[in-house]
Structures are given as structure tokens and as C-alpha cells.
Amino acid sequence: MDTPLSVEDAGAQPDLWLTPRRAPKDRPHYLGHRDRLRDRATAGGLAALPDYELLELYLFRAIPRGDVKPLAKQLLARFGSLGGVLGATPEELRTVKGVGEALALDLKLLHEASLRSAREQVARRPVISSWSALLAYVKTALAHEAREQFRVLFLDKKNQLIADEVMNRGTVDHAPVYPREVVRRALELSASAVILVHNHPTQGTFVPQDHGLNRMNPLNNLPL
């Protein structure tokens, strides 16, 4: 005849329906990483973070769980820099494993916000007296374009920015432009002068030229 279990014996039996807890040494290395990174950003400022950690912080918002450090590093490796990531097209971004349509849109929203911020800095001051701000804006807009792009900045008589428009997009080494279209648009905007800008993707440069409607005064080519 079997001997019945005592109260102590019954209490010591394992519950087979419960999932065993992980040993501390088996915990994923990234647990708590998000909080630690946020704390570092708060304490030391965002400017102190390397590009991949800054990108990580942004990815936290689009990807609420999991380790996004590998994805941040993949994006930087694929496009060469943080600016390259933001300047990539949605189609190019989606070639990176882990980037879906929603994340690609989020990254393009960040790029558009940076463009508008740069444009505001230019628009608040006369263009000629804020040449460094103009160059910073043009670099933001063109530095990572894979194809040649011809854009025109239209100025009023005080050399302030009226509009910045892409007049044409071309191939990797060619972007046609039609002077009559530039003049027609300048007349529509009542512009007094224009700055013509185009990039050379294969050479990593852009060329700004300042042309008054009644004069022609090309500036020197400036390296990107």
C-alpha cells in the first residue's frame, strides 16, 4: 500500500504548468539598454552621443521593443552617414532588413523637418549676408542626392529668399535645364536675382552660382 504524501512533501512538488524563470545570466544583454541610453542622453546631452546611438533613440519610437542597435548600425553602414540615411529614398531604406514602410516614412519625416529648419534660417536673413547658412541648407538638400539635381533659389531686391525650387532632376552625371523656364518662374515670383545650384553626385560637390537678372556674377565653385 502506497504511503500518502505529507503536507511538506506536497508543497515541495514543482508546478509543471509554470514556465521556469530564466537564470540572471541568461537575460538578453539589451534589457535595460533603452533606459540607460535615455539616461545618458538626458545627463550628457544629445550632442555627446555618436550617430548610431542618436539613430537608436529615434528608432525606439518606431520600434517599441527589441534591440535596435544592429539596425541603426546597418543603416549607417549601408548609407555611409546619418545624413545619408535621412537623404535615402523610401525605396532604398526598405532594402535594409528591418525597415518597413512606416519606419521609412518616419525617417523621411525627420529629413523633411531638418530641411525646413535649414530653410527657415536662410529665409530670416538676407541670403548674401548669411552665406554660411545658405551653404548649410544647400548641403542638407543636395549632399546625398544620387542623381544630378538643378535647383533655383529666387531672391527679392533685398537678396532675401522668396522660393527654393527643384527645376529638374537628371541622371548620375547630367541634369538638363532650360533658361526660359528659370526666367519665366523668376518673373512669376517677381524675383530680382536667382542663385542656381546643381550637384555632382559622382564627385561629391555642388556648384552655386549667383545671377542677378540684370547682371551675371558667377561665384567660385565650392567643394561639398
Side-chain angles (χ1 to χ4, degrees), residues 7-8 25 36 58 60 86 92 123 151 156 173 215:
V7 173
E8 289 184 358
K25 64 180 180 180
R36 290 192 297 272
Y58 189 75
F60 288 169
L86 300 183
E92 290 171 335
R151 48 198 311 143
D156 63 15
D173 60 1
R215 68 188 189 281

Side-chain angles (χ1 to χ4, degrees), residues 40-61:
R40 283 177 49 214
T42 301
L46 294 174
L49 298 179
D51 287 351
Y52 79 89
E53 289 187 335
L54 194 67
L55 188 54
E56 268 191 90
L57 278 173
Y58 189 75
L59 295 179
F60 288 169
R61 300 179 177 278

Side-chain angles (χ1 to χ4, degrees), residues 94-121:
R94 289 198 295 269
T95 63
V96 178
K97 185 178 180 180
V99 178
E101 187 174 345
L103 179 53
L105 177 60
D106 283 350
L107 291 169
K108 294 312 299 177
L109 285 172
L110 184 58
H111 185 231
E112 181 62 24
S114 66
L115 282 178
R116 295 189 184 194
S117 176
R119 186 180 299 127
E120 286 174 359
Q121 292 180 28

Side-chain angles (χ1 to χ4, degrees), residues 21-34 36 65-68:
R21 292 184 177 181
R22 288 176 183 242
K25 64 180 180 180
D26 295 330
R27 295 177 66 204
H29 67 88
Y30 55 81
L31 286 182
H33 172 68
R34 294 188 176 213
R36 290 192 297 272
R65 292 181 180 83
D67 184 11
V68 297

Side-chain angles (χ1 to χ4, degrees), residues 71-189:
L71 178 56
K73 290 188 173 181
Q74 267 187 293
L75 285 165
L76 291 170
R78 167 69 173 80
F79 299 107
S81 66
L82 185 58
V85 173
L86 300 183
T89 66
E91 293 75 21
E92 290 171 335
L93 289 168
R94 289 198 295 269
T95 63
V96 178
K97 185 178 180 180
V99 178
E101 187 174 345
L103 179 53
L105 177 60
D106 283 350
L107 291 169
K108 294 312 299 177
L109 285 172
L110 184 58
H111 185 231
E112 181 62 24
S114 66
L115 282 178
R116 295 189 184 194
S117 176
R119 186 180 299 127
E120 286 174 359
Q121 292 180 28
V122 172
R124 282 197 296 265
R125 296 188 295 272
V127 171
I128 300 303
S129 64
S130 60
W131 192 235
S132 60
L134 176 63
L135 292 183
Y137 168 64
V138 172
K139 287 180 181 181
T140 302
L142 289 176
H144 303 285
E145 283 288 332
R147 296 185 301 169
E148 280 216 12
Q149 188 180 107
F150 188 91
R151 48 198 311 143
V152 183
L153 279 61
F154 299 92
L155 313 178
D156 63 15
K157 63 182 180 180
K158 295 182 179 179
N159 287 326
Q160 290 187 327
L161 185 67
I162 299 173
D164 170 15
E165 299 182 358
V166 177
M167 298 299 288
N168 208 342
R169 287 184 172 90
T171 64
V172 294
D173 60 1
H174 176 68
V177 61
Y178 303 98
R180 65 178 179 273
E181 294 299 320
V182 176
V183 174
R184 178 187 61 79
R185 186 61 177 145
L187 292 173
E188 289 176 352
L189 295 171

